[in-house]
Amino acid sequence: MSAQHRPGGIVVGVDGSPSSSVAVEWAARDAQMRGVALKIVHVVEPMVTAVEGWSADYAQAQQAWAHEIVEQAHKLAVEASSPDRAERVASEVLHAPIIPTLVEMSKESDMVVVGCRGRGAVANALLGSVSSALVRYAHCPVAVIHDDDPLTTRSPQAPVVVGVDGSPTSELATEIAFDEASRRGVGLVALHAWSDMGPLDFPSVNWAPIEWRNIKDQEEVVLAERLCGWQERYPDVVVHRVVVNDRPAPRLLEQAESAQLVVVGSHGRGGFPGMLLGSVSRAVVNSARIPVIVARLPRRP
């Protein structure tokens, strides 16, 4: 069962960095699984000033480097998927501001894929400026791919993990997670954290106030109800439900240690109107060592 797709398929932004190369491989495989086109884009920022005597040479060298980046990325994308996918892999060099350009492209895309850190990122930076901006402003889901844990180190049978809290973006995250798990032929771990105050430890379950025990039972029912329709739509996906009385971010990161993909909403039930990125999605996309999809709904003008 497949989700509806936009005309633009999947867009992957490249810049020649190691993180970018891993992002291309992941995007190519995901596009193949979805049966959609892949577009490789390298955006060159316009020169702010032109210095006489070297600006023309610099521009020429920059153009040559840009085309080399997309050619290498195109080759990598075809190798990561299959030769018969070559005609569905396009590449383009654009001369424009990077972030606004990718945000604009996201309006017609299924998903935008980027590496966690670009070529100019500080070595120890958690998230680069481009990936950080896209998970805040894009009009479609954004996949952030980390290069510190190569994709080949994870078992192809490792599950997909999704955070479920009942918010609109969480519902989209759940749909994406089921679809990704179904296409990969793997299980799904659906985690619901019902406390934002950290774990509530009692000497024993019987010692805890009856209200707290009831809350956990109620939240398990809530999670089951949130997943029911999707389990009917994707009967091939085996779901493992996890309900915890803890903050969601650390528990999602814990589950990510044995998963191949994490999907989160851009902002959850505690987000206020106009919030661009929630604390949970920010923590997960910064700290997870595996691909993270941030589910974003189209933004109103």
Side-chain angles (χ1 to χ4, degrees), residues 17 22 33 56 78 81 97 99 106 128 178 202 210 212 234 243-244 277 290 295:
S17 65
V22 180
M33 285 189 296
V78 174
S81 50
I99 293 171
S106 74
F178 266 96
F202 300 107
I210 187 66
W212 287 115
Y234 295 90
V243 178
V244 295
L277 193 66
I290 61 173

Side-chain angles (χ1 to χ4, degrees), residues 21-292:
S21 297
V22 180
V24 169
E25 293 182 8
W26 189 92
R29 292 170 184 151
D30 205 69
Q32 181 178 26
M33 285 189 296
R34 292 170 178 242
V36 299
L38 175 67
K39 187 167 190 176
I40 299 167
V41 177
H42 177 64
V43 185
V44 180
E45 287 273 11
M47 293 179 61
V48 178
T49 59
V51 179
E52 186 178 356
W54 66 269
S55 59
D57 292 339
Y58 176 79
Q60 186 176 6
Q62 187 183 52
Q63 185 74 358
W65 172 238
H67 283 283
E68 182 178 345
I69 287 174
V70 296
E71 287 173 6
Q72 291 176 350
H74 190 282
K75 179 181 178 181
L76 189 61
V78 174
E79 291 175 349
S81 50
S82 58
D84 59 355
R85 286 278 303 171
E87 63 181 18
R88 301 209 68 187
V89 179
S91 57
E92 186 175 13
V93 175
L94 299 173
H95 293 267
I98 297 175
I99 293 171
T101 299
L102 292 175
V103 169
E104 183 65 23
M105 295 183 75
S106 74
K107 293 179 180 179
E108 299 297 327
S109 303
D110 281 349
M111 181 163 60
V112 175
V113 182
V114 288
C116 62
R117 293 180 295 270
R119 193 175 63 233
V122 178
N124 293 324
L126 294 175
L127 204 63
S129 59
V130 174
S131 51
S132 180
L134 284 173
V135 296
R136 287 170 169 81
Y137 300 110
H139 297 264
C140 70
V142 177
V144 178
I145 314 302
H146 296 256
D147 62 335
D148 52 357
D149 189 14
L151 304 180
T152 55
T153 65
R154 298 289 169 130
S155 167
Q157 299 307 312
V160 173
V161 174
V162 63
V164 181
D165 66 10
S167 65
T169 57
S170 169
E171 187 72 3
L172 176 58
T174 304
E175 177 183 8
I176 293 170
F178 266 96
D179 191 62
E180 292 282 349
S182 177
R183 294 181 188 281
R184 287 168 165 75
V186 300
L188 175 66
V189 176
L191 184 140
H192 175 57
W194 57 274
S195 171
D196 293 324
M197 300 180 295
L200 302 173
D201 294 323
F202 300 107
S204 70
V205 172
N206 292 331
W207 186 91
I210 187 66
E211 291 83 359
W212 287 115
R213 297 202 302 272
N214 288 345
I215 287 175
K216 186 176 187 299
D217 292 341
Q218 293 168 3
E219 295 299 326
E220 288 177 346
V221 172
V222 168
L223 177 59
E225 291 176 346
R226 293 286 180 186
L227 298 175
C228 181
W230 296 114
Q231 288 182 288
E232 292 177 358
R233 184 174 176 181
Y234 295 90
D236 58 314
V237 176
V238 177
V239 180
H240 175 54
R241 298 196 294 266
V242 179
V243 178
V244 295
N245 65 328
D246 195 1
R247 295 180 299 272
R251 292 305 187 99
L252 285 168
L253 290 170
E254 180 181 81
Q255 293 291 336
E257 288 299 315
S258 56
Q260 62 173 283
L261 172 68
V262 180
V263 188
V264 292
S266 57
H267 46 277
R269 62 172 183 257
F272 52 83
M275 178 179 285
L276 297 176
L277 193 66
S279 59
V280 174
S281 48
R282 182 170 58 250
V284 172
V285 81
N286 272 324
S287 301
R289 298 186 301 140
I290 61 173
V292 178

